[in-house]
Amino acid sequence: MIIAMGNDHSAVELKQEIKAYVEGKGYQVVDFGTNSTESCDYPVYGEKVGRAVAAGEADLGILICGTGVGISLAANKIKGIRACVCSEPFSAKLSRMHNNTNILAFGARVVGSELAKMIVDQWLEAEFEGGRHQRRVDMLTRLEER
Ligand code: RB5
């Protein structure tokens, strides 16, 4: 499975730690940057990862900025993307099971690295349940068409 990762300047260190963690679990990571701590604009990286996931070049995406909010907003502008900001593992897990999220976002200024790893674990290990949730996700998809 290929995971696209992206982040802004506020999250370089956490991205590198989470990237190594995810690779250690056997996932292939495509790193869209930034790997510089020089101030940059989070929409650039939210868009890169969003487009890679929407195009099927990556199966899932992980985005990190200061709060996870701005970079997830950017990704959610891309058709087919369902990105969620999660600061705890329960919402991360349910976001896969019920909402079939394809991008996980969190904030380097919000969560520490150990909590971030728990969030990532729960999100990656959960599976979409389909059924009534598929109908609701389909409704989200139709919103993109209107
Ligand atoms: C950058 O200072 C900060 O605004 C950004 O990382 C993010 O938190 C925005 O949502």
Side-chain angles (χ1 to χ4, degrees), residues 8-10 42 65-71 109:
D8 73 1
H9 55 281
S10 68
Y42 57 77
C65 65
T67 60
V69 174
I71 205 159
R109 294 171 178 156

Side-chain angles (χ1 to χ4, degrees), residues 35-146:
N35 284 298
S36 164
T37 53
E38 196 173 316
S39 183
C40 66
D41 299 323
Y42 57 77
V44 171
Y45 302 95
E47 179 181 0
K48 283 176 193 281
V49 169
R51 290 203 186 283
V53 172
E57 294 161 11
D59 300 290
L60 295 170
I62 297 176
L63 289 169
I64 320 173
C65 65
T67 60
V69 174
I71 205 159
S72 65
L73 289 174
N76 273 320
K77 298 294 181 192
I78 309 295
K79 198 172 176 180
I81 293 304
R82 290 176 301 281
C84 62
V85 187
C86 295
S87 302
E88 36 72 32
F90 181 75
S91 299
K93 178 177 179 175
L94 269 287
S95 84
R96 285 294 303 281
M97 292 171 67
H98 290 186
N99 315 113
N100 203 14
T101 49
N102 48 16
I103 293 184
L104 170 69
F106 47 88
R109 294 171 178 156
V110 181
V111 299
S113 62
E114 294 308 310
L115 180 55
K117 288 172 191 169
M118 288 182 192
I119 293 168
V120 166
D121 280 343
Q122 290 290 304
W123 188 70
L124 287 175
E125 287 164 19
E127 284 182 19
F128 182 50
E129 286 181 348
R132 68 187 189 283
H133 302 298
Q134 183 65 61
R135 184 181 73 246
R136 293 161 185 164
V137 170
D138 289 344
M139 291 170 75
L140 293 176
T141 302
R142 285 200 294 277
L143 280 175
E144 292 178 327
E145 314 293 340
R146 303 210 285 269

